[in-house]
């Protein structure tokens, strides 16, 4: 069971949850970046890298025995350029919904000075819980 946590009287968040509670098999997904399963970048475009990163997260979750996007309870996004991220939020929203659907876990996004892979523009770490 996964429960969205929303304190009484708080404004409803858009695109994320303030908190999640879940019971079941915990799946910790390492930071994924926008390359394919063979560790090859197919693009340097931020939105396309986000789409690939989200597909990578979904693939790792599925490898845990059937977890899907709806089982993701937390995501931490590391971005190189918060201004580009903000300017392209509508495009990011489209690819997010294409891959993850209308599931909005607890999320944090931070700008970082760099990522280990030079071509990476985003890295996302996730936690999913597959109910018992």
């Amino acid at each position: 069971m996964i429960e969205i946590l929303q304190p009484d009287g708080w404004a409803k968040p858009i695109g994320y949850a303030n908190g999640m509670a879940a019971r079941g098999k915990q799946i910790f997904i390492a930071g994924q970046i926008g390359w394919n399963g063979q560790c090859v970048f197919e693009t340097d475009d931020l939105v396309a890298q986000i789409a690939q990163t989200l597909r990578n997260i979904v693939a790792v979750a599925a490898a845990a025995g059937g977890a899907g996007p709806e089982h993701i309870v937390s995501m931490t996004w590391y971005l190189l350029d918060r201004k580009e991220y903000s300017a392209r939020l509508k495009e990011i929203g489209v690819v997010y919904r294409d891959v993850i659907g209308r599931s909005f876990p607890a999320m944090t996004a931070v700008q970082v000075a760099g990522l280990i892979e030079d071509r990476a523009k985003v890295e996302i770490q996730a936690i999913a819980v597959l109910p018992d």
Side-chain angles (χ1 to χ4, degrees):
M1 165 149 184
I2 296 175
E3 174 187 3
I4 297 171
L5 305 175
Q6 177 66 18
D8 290 338
W10 283 29
K12 184 178 178 185
I14 298 173
Y16 66 96
N18 284 306
M20 304 284 283
R23 179 173 303 188
K25 179 180 183 179
Q26 297 177 31
I27 304 158
F28 299 92
I29 302 168
Q32 300 295 307
I33 58 177
W35 61 19
N36 63 29
Q38 287 68 50
C39 302
V40 175
F41 285 96
E42 297 175 2
T43 181
D44 290 319
D45 177 71
L46 173 64
V47 175
Q49 282 198 16
I50 288 171
Q52 181 64 56
T53 300
L54 294 172
R55 287 192 296 272
N56 295 345
I57 289 168
V58 170
V60 173
E70 69 277 14
H71 299 115
I72 297 169
V73 296
S74 178
M75 292 177 139
T76 303
W77 296 49
Y78 303 95
L79 299 143
L80 291 182
D81 187 341
R82 70 178 176 84
K83 289 183 181 179
E84 181 180 10
Y85 171 82
S86 294
R88 300 187 71 189
L89 271 176
K90 286 188 182 201
E91 296 170 83
I92 293 166
V94 169
V95 299
Y96 181 92
R97 287 185 301 279
D98 285 348
V99 179
I100 304 296
R102 304 232 20 106
S103 178
F104 302 103
M107 287 195 233
T108 299
V110 295
Q111 179 174 297
V112 295
L115 297 168
I116 298 300
E117 293 297 327
D118 288 337
R119 287 183 65 187
K121 294 190 172 209
V122 62
E123 183 166 339
I124 304 174
Q125 182 178 14
I127 300 170
V129 177
L130 188 58
D132 294 328

